[in-house]
Every structure is written in structure tokens, then in C-alpha cells.
Amino acid sequence: MSGPSTYVPKSGFGRWMDSRLPLMRFAHDTIITYPTPKNLNFWYAFGAILTFMLGIQILTGIVLAMHYVANAGLAFDSVEGIMRNINYGWLIRYMHANGATFFFIAVYIHMFRGLYYGSYKSPREVIWILGVILYLLMVATAFFGYVLPWGQMSFWGATVITNFFSALDQIVPHLGSAIATWLWGGFAVGDATLNRFFSLHYLLPFVIAGVVGLHIWALHVPGNNNPLGIDTKGPQDMLPFHPYYTVKDSFYVALFALIYLAFVFYAPDFFGNPDNYTPANPVVTPPDIVPEWYLLPFYAMLRSVPQKLIGVLVMAGSLLTLVFVPWLDTSKVRSTRFRPMMKQFFWLFVFDCLILGYCGSQGADAALHMQGFELPLVWVARVATLYYFGFFWVVMPLLGIIEKPKPLPANISQPVLAAE
Amino acid sequence: MKALTLAFAALIATSVAASAAEDLSEPLPPKDVHWSFEGPFGTYDRAALQRGFQVYKEVCSACHSLNRVAFHDLIGPPGPGGGEGGDGFFTEPQAKAIAAGYKVPADPDEKGDTTDDKGQPLMRPAILADHFPAPFANENAARANNGGALPPDLSLIVKAREGGPQYVYSIVTGDGSPVPHGFKVIDGKYYDPYFPGRNISMPPPLRNDSVTYSDGTKATLDQEAHDVVTFLTWASEPKLEERHRLGFGVMLFMLLLSGLLFLSYRKVWHDAH
Amino acid sequence: MAETTAPEPTRRDFLYIATGGVAAVGAALAAWPFIDQMNPSSAVLALASIEADLSAIQVGQQVVFNWRGHPLFVRRRTPQEIAEAKAVDVASLPDPLARNANLPDNAPATDADRAAKDPQWLIVVGVCTHLGCTPTVSTPQVPQGEYGGWLCHCHGSQYDTAGRIRKGPAPQNLAVPPYTFQSPTKIKVG
């Protein structure tokens, strides 16, 4: 929603470059004068936070790659060499491992924000879909990265996930096994697998960076949504991105970084699994194979279905569902602030994701012990999975039709009505 | 609706916490012990590290390797002679002397042999650059000498076990506890209520006066366990002190920067409305 | 908004300058670990010095050790080799400096300043000072070059029995590393 560029080069060199490769003009139009709604709140800072975390991961990752050896016999030792011998290696490694966790914390908040404020609705559907693609790329990158230290969880997590493909044998005989063998480069997860995962782990973050460019470009066409969910009416509703949002985002980035660094320095293994400090042993399976926390909800959905193929399809379906969200939600109102019924279902959905995460973290036979009887967690996960799909495929389409939204403010500049 | 979901969460939390009579198939939670290195300002007690190293050397190293620790890692703050210094707790001459007490495989001689006339491997005294040699040549030899069980390498044991130092301390002090009524100990194994399954292949490793401390400290089981776990935590996390030190400065800096950015944010936005 | 005509920074600007300054200092401090990680690690530094046992080396024999990734020539010179080295006029040498890390930079390339106190021991780094090849040692049975020391087969540099360059493209004498004798037959190098 920005008008024609107002950039004026200030120097002779500036004019020379501007007529050949207008980098300064691009920066000026994109992050300096770019008109942004003036009522963006804290939840809107996570785009900048994500960009910061991507930068941290790429920087620490490239440095780690100077010392890491992608060979099954040497990988674990090379990581311990980084931790013990390389100057500040421990710091860079802990930044990278905890960086992944905080990257996912930020992306989940960012996604929930998009859901809450209706940022996926027309005309922003493509931004949302690019976001889903980014999320999938993040999951793939994190999966490949976790295998690299070649600990017990690295190896067995890779074995479990790549074995999913063999479920396809039930649809087309031998197809799944062929795909699994092709992924492994052998008859099981091994050195060949490790090497290609390293290559892909190095590649994907740059693919992410490119898609982030598209994501922001797609955003800048209609301009940002805002917490009220109503269209901005004109310049009176906007502020230039610099200095207002550069300074605001910087503040929130610094706060986020403070929490992130507190974990790096004082609880660096909090989000990790001790089993990954034991070198991979193809002959000994750990008692509980658990993915990293950010994948636990999907793990819970997978295990809630006894049949392997259906479980894989349910898990894939839960991710694919996200693509259709712009069309599943029939409400004409964007922001949940004005949707009293959706508000309840939304928070229940957030809670549902946490429940699924908890179920995923526990062993396969885990149960809740309540007065008198036992409730196997797998049943909790089943109910939670049903609600997950129900929220998108039933609640979203239905509520747009039956809900009576609160009256929307006339414009952004109007004094704020009743609080949330 | 929010109240309902909160109530639901509370219900789950309390029901998970509810416990029945002791389930002998489940291990006990680790003992709650205090360490000099716990908390954000924790450091390693150097005397404990030296005593713990003595326990490792005289007791544990008979079966357990410490592959990832090199002799030069033992070197602590730089001595009067200068030098780089490190994260350890001995001086460079002390570390060199410790190294020289170990034998490691020698390089092939001029004829290209790696064994002597009797077929024994050629050995040489270890130097600072070497790692602690393992007690057994390979996994099979380790298992053959330990009734089929493999004593794990201890370089990362504190990080590789849920419960960390509390767990290792509990295992080491709990091994050989009186067997409760109704529990059958598997033949050849020992009862340890803190170990998953409660049957552990390791015989009780320590008792009172397993070692005689060179600094005169009374060598009770508790003291030995405390010291060896402090040493093993150092072996798993030699950078802990540097990490805490640097972290303190970083936290202060981030608080300062966040504060300045907050004030800048407020000032910039003051004109907006 | 600050007046555009005000030449001095206002109180508000001090805040921005302070914030920017703190952020810049933080960025510089944060950059250091990323730069330092490329410096030699503690595992590499542990091998920065070696101890070499010389007891098995015969007179007239050279043994090559590995020091910091380079070949280290330890040569036990014959009386004839020592005499040849001492007889050379230092002023006539292409490189008149000792290149001995145990001595000041301006020490001359006399045999006394090149060899150990016990002149039968010559310890030099076996890296040709031209472009880094490993020179071949000259023995009475298989002479290499005209000066009885070493010949570098890459580009023809010739060194004498004190490791000094005499002929060929190499600009400097073979380097003498820092070392000490811990016993008559044991040296610590580096």
C-alpha cells in the first residue's frame, strides 16, 4: 500500500548507483518510508525476531561447519571437539542448538498471531501460504540438523521419521521402501544418510532466506494487517517504518535475545534430550524415542492412530490443512478481537496444541492416574487430534455463518473501544 | 471459557502428581544433593575436583574409560611461569606427571612393528596431548571382563543421563542398598533403587575409605561420591565456569541495551499520537 | 520533533547516540568469538611443543620429527661437517643472519649461532625458505648439492652443513626453531 518511491539520492555516487542498481532506493522504500499501521502491538514484532534468529542460525551454523565432520565415525567426536577445544566452540554450539528452539518459539507465536488477527484472509492468502512453506522448510532443516551430532536420538529419530515412507508400501507395493532406501542411501540410516543430511541442512536455510524475501514482498503489496483487522483508510492511519517500527522491533528483539541468551548461558541443555549425549548405536534403541519439543504435537497425532499409514497421513494432513485456512474461515471479520465465539475456540486450540505437545513427550504407554482409574494418554491425544482438525474443518467454516461479531470500529485512528 | 480451560489444566496437574504405593519396577527419583557448581553463579570446588580425580583414577578407571578428556585439559589457571592456562585444576608440571604415569600405544618403530618380540603392543608414556587411555582395548574386551556388561565411558555421563549429577550421585551411593521385601535381584546383578529396573550390573563401586585422600579429608562414601561426581561433571562440562562468567556480563549488557532501546522506543513514539 | 536548525544534539539525541553506541560495542564484542574460533584450538596448541629423544641418532645421521605440522630435521653432524660449516666466511653468504628463534634477530649466521651448544647437533625446520618444499639431506654415500647439507629438488636451492642457503632461489637460511636441551639426549621444541 505504499505509493511511488520518494527516495532522492544524496550524493553523486548515490545517483550513479541508483540508475544502475537501486539498492538504497529499495532499502529506503522497504524499511524506511514503508507505511505501517500505527496500531501494531507486541505480537507483530515476531517477524523481526524471526529474521534475527535466522541470521543467528546461519552465522553460527556456518562457523560450526568449519569444525564439524559429517562422517558417522567422526561426527559425534567433532561436536565434542567443538565443545571442548575450539575457542568459544561451546558458545557457538549452544547458540545454534538453543537458536533452533527459540526460532520455533518465535514461529509458533507468529503463526498464532496470524490466526488470531485474520492475517491469512484476503488479500493476504499468498503471504500465509508462503508462511506455511517457510514453516515446513524450518521443520525439514531442524530435522536434518538434529541428526548431525549423531547421538542416540539423532540416529533413532532419523530412523523413525524416514521409516514413515515405508508406510506408502500399502498404497503402492514397494514404493515406500524404495523411497526410504533412496533417502538412506543404504539399507538403514548410516554414513551416506548423514552426509546428504549435512548438505541439505546447509542448503535449506538459504532457501528459507529466499522465501522470506517473497513473504515480505507479498506482504508489502497490500501492506500489514493490524490488531483491529480493518483496512487502513489513508496516511492518517500509518507511520513510516523507520524510526517507529525499527526502534520498537529492536526493543522486542533485544528482550527476546535476552531470554534466549539466558538459556544459552545458564540452562543450555534444558530443551535437549540427554540421550543425545550418547553416541549413536544402531544396535541399542533408547527406551523412549522423542523428537525435539517443537515437533511433539505432530508426534502425538502420529501415535494416536494405531494404523501406521493412516497415522502418517493424519500427521501430513495436519500440516497440509494449514494451506487451506484462508478458504476454510468464512467469517467476513478478520480480527478475533471482534469475534466472541471464535475467541473461545481459538484459546481452546492453543491449549489443544499444548496438550498434544505434552502427549508427544510421554512414553507410548503413558497414562494419567486419576481417582480410581487410568486414562491412557493416547486417548487424550486422539481427542486433541480430533479437535485440531475440527477447529480448522468444522469451527472455522461454521462460525463465519453462525457467529454474531462485535461492531467494528470505523477506523484505526478512532479511540480504542472496550479492551480485548 | 478461559476459566474452564485453566481448571482443566489444574485437574491434569494434580492427577499426574497423585501417587500410589511404591512401585518397585520404577526407580526412585534421584536424591537432592547440593553442588558447588549449581545455579547461575556456580563454580567447581578445585579441592573436590582433585579429590574426585583421585577417586576416578584409583577406583573407576579400572573399568570406565574417560576418552574425551586429554591430559592438557587438566591444566588450570596459568601458573607463575605464564602459559595459556585452561579449565582444569592442576598445574602444567602436575598434569605432565599425571600423563607420564599412563602408557599409550607407541608409533611403529623403524622396522614398522607395533608389537615387541613377545607380541605385546609397543607402548610409550603419555604426553599432555594424549587422551586418557581406556582400560580395555575394545568393547568385546570390556564386556568379557565385566560379565557381559559394558561399563560406559564417563566423559559425558553427567550430561547423558536424566537427572545429571543428582542421578550419578544416587546411582553410586545407592548401589548395594538393602533389597526390599518382594524384590527379586537378577543373578549376577546388584540392587540399586535409583537405576531403571533397579538391577545394575556394576558392583557397589565405593564405600567408606575406598581411597585415602592426599589432602587429609575424611573419605566417607558420601564425600567420595560427592567428589567423584564433581569431577565427572567437570569432565562433561569443562567450560561451565567460563560460561557462567561470560553469561553474567552478557546478561548485564542485554539488560542495559534493552533498557536503552525501551527508552528510545518511548521517546520515538511520544510524537506519534 | 527536534528543530532541524539546532546544531548540537538534543537530550533526545543523546539517548539515540548512547543506544546506538552500546549496540555497536555489543556487536563488536559479540563478533570476537566468531573470529577467535578460527584460531588454533586447544587440541592443536597441545601439540605446539614436542619432546624428541635423540639417543638413537648415529653420528652422520638425520632423523625427521613432526613439529607443528612441519618436518623437523635433527642432524647429528660428523666432525668433518662441523669443520666445513665453521670454515665458511659469513659475509659471503646469501643470507648472513642466523634465523635462530633462540637468539636475537640480528645474530649472524656463524655455525655457533646455528648449531646447538654441542656442535654435533643441528636442529632446523625442514621447510625450504623458497616456496615450502622439503629439502633432501645430503649424505657421503648419496651427496645432494655441492655443500654437503641439503638439496631442495623443487627449484634447486642448496644448503650447507649448517643449514644455510648457498645457491639457488631460496632467500633465507633454514629456520632454527625455539628449543632447549632437557638432557644431553632430549630436546623440547616449541
Side-chain angles (χ1 to χ4, degrees):
Chain A
M1 283 257 278
S2 36
S5 172
T6 57
Y7 177 64
V8 176
K10 289 194 198 57
S11 65
F13 174 71
R15 281 187 290 280
W16 185 87
M17 269 307 279
D18 191 52
S19 57
R20 287 156 177 73
L21 181 66
L23 291 172
M24 286 306 294
R25 178 177 301 273
F26 178 73
H28 184 262
D29 297 341
T30 323
I31 61 171
I32 297 184
T33 55
Y34 172 69
T36 317
K38 60 185 182 182
N39 62 335
L40 299 187
N41 60 22
F42 161 72
W43 304 105
Y44 281 78
F46 282 86
I49 289 172
L50 283 166
T51 310
F52 174 73
M53 292 313 297
L54 179 64
I56 294 266
Q57 289 303 91
I58 288 178
L59 180 63
T60 53
I62 288 174
V63 163
L64 286 173
M66 291 184 178
H67 309 283
Y68 172 74
V69 179
N71 171 287
L74 297 168
F76 190 92
D77 291 344
S78 72
V79 173
E80 275 303 303
I82 289 169
M83 296 295 286
R84 293 165 189 272
N85 296 327
I86 301 298
N87 301 329
Y88 295 104
W90 56 271
L91 174 62
I92 297 168
R93 194 275 176 107
Y94 277 145
M95 281 179 75
H96 198 71
N98 286 283
T101 271
F102 278 80
F103 205 173
F104 275 93
I105 290 175
V107 88
Y108 284 134
I109 294 175
H110 188 70
M111 291 161 81
F112 280 121
R113 181 278 312 245
L115 282 175
Y116 190 84
Y117 292 119
S119 310
Y120 51 83
K121 288 173 155 312
S122 170
R124 297 182 178 85
E125 302 94 323
V126 172
I127 304 171
W128 174 263
I129 291 173
L130 286 169
V132 175
I133 292 173
L134 282 169
Y135 176 65
L136 294 174
L137 286 171
M138 277 179 68
V139 169
T141 308
F143 166 65
F144 292 139
Y146 193 66
V147 178
L148 301 183
W150 211 241
Q152 276 286 65
M153 273 312 154
S154 305
F155 179 88
W156 288 99
T159 301
V160 166
I161 301 294
T162 47
N163 268 323
F164 289 159
F165 290 92
S166 55
L168 292 172
D169 282 345
Q170 290 172 32
I171 308 180
V172 175
H174 304 303
L175 174 67
S177 308
I179 293 178
T181 306
W182 175 75
L183 283 174
W184 290 331
F187 303 108
V189 169
D191 186 52
T193 325
L194 177 60
N195 269 272
R196 63 194 56 182
F197 280 10
F198 180 53
S199 172
L200 294 173
H201 185 69
Y202 207 123
L203 167 71
L204 287 184
F206 297 100
V207 175
I208 289 175
V211 178
V212 165
L214 296 177
H215 188 67
I216 298 176
W217 183 4
L219 170 70
H220 282 206
V221 171
N224 295 52
N225 189 17
N226 66 82
L228 297 178
I230 57 179
D231 287 335
T232 54
K233 303 291 191 295
Q236 73 277 13
D237 289 339
M238 314 296 263
L239 288 170
F241 194 80
H242 178 71
Y244 295 97
Y245 286 106
T246 45
V247 75
K248 187 169 180 175
D249 281 350
S250 296
F251 168 61
Y252 287 124
V253 167
L255 270 187
F256 188 82
L258 190 147
I259 300 172
Y260 157 59
L261 291 169
F263 276 91
V264 166
F265 285 98
Y266 295 111
D269 292 306
F270 179 82
F271 292 100
N273 188 314
D275 274 327
N276 227 30
Y277 277 110
T278 302
N281 188 342
V283 159
V284 173
T285 309
D288 279 311
I289 302 176
V290 197
E292 285 285 270
W293 70 269
Y294 37 82
L295 300 178
L296 289 174
F298 303 105
Y299 199 55
M301 286 192 236
L302 173 80
R303 288 195 307 185
S304 67
V305 179
Q307 215 279 357
K308 183 176 177 181
L309 174 64
I310 314 283
V312 174
L313 291 176
V314 162
M315 194 177 73
S318 69
L319 290 164
L320 209 56
T321 293
L322 296 174
V323 174
F324 298 103
V325 164
W327 294 276
L328 290 170
D329 185 358
T330 55
S331 170
K332 300 283 184 291
V333 174
R334 282 200 189 107
S335 174
T336 306
R337 228 189 246 189
F338 302 100
R339 301 182 59 186
M341 282 181 78
M342 176 50 101
K343 196 180 284 188
Q344 310 200 58
F345 285 103
F346 173 83
W347 286 110
L348 192 55
F349 175 71
V350 173
F351 183 67
D352 186 64
C353 292
L354 295 170
I355 292 290
L356 280 169
Y358 174 73
C359 290
S361 72
Q362 301 301 298
D365 316 314
L368 290 177
H369 302 272
M370 322 231 270
Q371 294 86 346
F373 80 114
E374 265 190 22
L375 177 61
L377 278 183
V378 70
W379 280 104
V380 176
R382 282 171 187 158
V383 169
T385 305
L386 271 170
Y387 182 74
Y388 180 99
F389 282 94
F391 176 73
F392 290 110
W393 292 96
V394 175
V395 171
M396 271 190 169
L398 215 58
L399 244 54
I401 302 167
I402 66 176
E403 182 180 42
K404 184 175 184 314
K406 294 210 213 122
L408 298 172
N411 58 59
I412 287 172
S413 304
Q414 194 179 21
V416 174
L417 298 176
E420 284 253 13
Chain B
M1 194 66 178
K2 239 188 196 140
L4 191 64
T5 55
L6 278 168
F8 186 33
L11 176 67
I12 292 199
T14 49
S15 53
V16 167
S19 56
E22 191 189 359
D23 180 357
L24 291 180
S25 66
E26 290 294 312
L28 292 175
K31 299 180 189 175
D32 187 22
V33 185
H34 290 287
W35 309 98
S36 67
F37 51 81
E38 67 186 24
F41 304 105
T43 55
Y44 290 119
D45 175 351
R46 280 200 152 43
L49 286 177
Q50 294 194 347
R51 291 194 300 266
F53 173 66
Q54 185 182 351
V55 174
Y56 166 75
K57 189 165 189 283
E58 294 180 14
V59 180
C60 322
S61 63
C63 303
H64 289 280
S65 55
L66 198 69
N67 290 335
R68 298 179 198 287
V69 179
F71 292 105
H72 68 85
D73 292 329
L74 294 172
I75 301 173
E84 275 287 315
D87 313 302
F89 44 88
F90 284 121
T91 63
E92 187 175 328
Q94 285 173 325
K96 259 199 182 146
I98 291 169
Y102 287 83
K103 288 261 184 286
V104 294
D107 291 334
D109 64 19
E110 311 88 56
K111 293 200 225 79
D113 292 329
T114 50
T115 54
D116 63 18
D117 300 328
K118 299 190 189 69
Q120 295 302 307
L122 291 173
M123 305 295 269
R124 60 163 176 82
I127 57 175
L128 288 175
D130 289 318
H131 288 228
F132 276 86
F136 305 109
N138 50 59
E139 182 177 332
N140 288 356
R143 286 189 187 274
N145 276 281
N146 288 285
L150 179 65
D153 180 87
L154 296 182
S155 317
L156 282 168
I157 198 76
V158 168
K159 285 209 282 192
R161 296 291 181 271
E162 193 69 55
Q166 322 285 41
Y167 171 82
V168 178
Y169 175 88
S170 303
I171 291 293
V172 157
T173 53
D175 195 347
S177 294
V179 184
H181 184 68
F183 188 87
K184 176 82 175 68
V185 178
I186 297 174
D187 235 8
K189 294 200 192 280
Y190 303 84
Y191 179 72
D192 192 326
Y194 300 95
F195 189 72
R198 303 207 183 193
N199 280 293
I200 194 170
S201 304
M202 175 174 71
L206 298 172
R207 49 185 164 70
N208 290 335
D209 298 315
S210 292
V211 297
T212 309
Y213 281 132
S214 34
D215 69 355
T217 309
K218 195 161 182 321
T220 59
L221 168 62
D222 177 73
Q223 181 72 48
E224 292 164 355
H226 214 265
D227 292 337
V228 79
V229 171
T230 302
F231 168 70
L232 290 177
T233 307
W234 171 87
S236 292
E237 284 255 60
K239 298 293 181 187
L240 178 141
E241 292 184 328
E242 188 182 343
R243 178 160 55 81
H244 285 174
R245 231 179 10 243
L246 194 53
F248 184 65
V250 169
M251 289 297 108
L252 286 183
F253 174 83
M254 288 307 294
L255 282 169
L256 171 67
L257 181 64
S258 302
L260 286 173
L261 281 168
F262 178 68
L263 293 174
S264 301
Y265 156 44
R266 291 284 289 265
K267 282 271 194 279
V268 165
W269 279 76
H270 187 65
D271 330 316
H273 302 293
Chain C
M1 291 257 264
E3 286 191 345
T4 45
T5 50
E8 300 114 41
T10 64
R11 218 173 59 224
R12 216 182 301 169
D13 287 341
F14 269 134
L15 174 60
Y16 302 147
I17 293 169
T19 307
V22 168
V25 165
L29 290 172
W32 174 243
F34 292 89
I35 296 168
D36 194 30
Q37 53 86 20
M38 283 173 68
N39 274 326
S41 69
S42 64
V44 167
L45 292 174
L47 289 166
S49 66
I50 63 166
E51 284 176 10
D53 179 11
L54 313 183
S55 55
I57 306 179
Q58 310 292 322
V59 175
Q61 189 189 8
Q62 169 187 276
V63 169
V64 182
F65 294 93
N66 182 336
W67 177 67
R68 296 190 180 176
H70 296 303
L72 183 79
F73 295 157
V74 177
R75 187 163 175 178
R76 193 168 181 185
R77 302 187 296 176
T78 63
Q80 190 185 358
E81 287 169 344
I82 298 170
E84 276 174 16
K86 285 191 186 301
V88 174
D89 174 19
V90 175
S92 69
L93 290 171
D95 179 14
L97 295 178
R99 308 288 173 194
N100 186 329
N102 302 287
L103 298 172
D105 289 345
N106 57 5
T110 59
D111 187 68
D113 282 349
R114 296 275 307 161
K117 264 209 196 63
D118 176 357
Q120 64 176 334
W121 293 111
L122 179 71
I123 297 149
V124 290
V125 179
V127 176
C128 182
T129 57
H130 179 228
L131 290 172
C133 296
T134 305
T136 311
V137 68
S138 177
T139 59
Q141 295 82 20
V142 188
Q144 300 282 333
E146 301 154 24
Y147 300 90
W150 287 267
L151 167 67
C152 185
H153 284 275
C154 286
H155 308 101
S157 296
Q158 298 185 26
Y159 300 85
D160 66 16
T161 53
R164 297 173 295 206
I165 183 66
R166 302 295 289 274
K167 199 188 216 180
Q172 292 184 5
N173 304 325
L174 292 176
V176 177
Y179 68 89
T180 50
F181 270 82
Q182 306 199 308
S183 79
T185 53
K186 195 121 164 276
I187 52 171
K188 176 179 163 172
V189 184

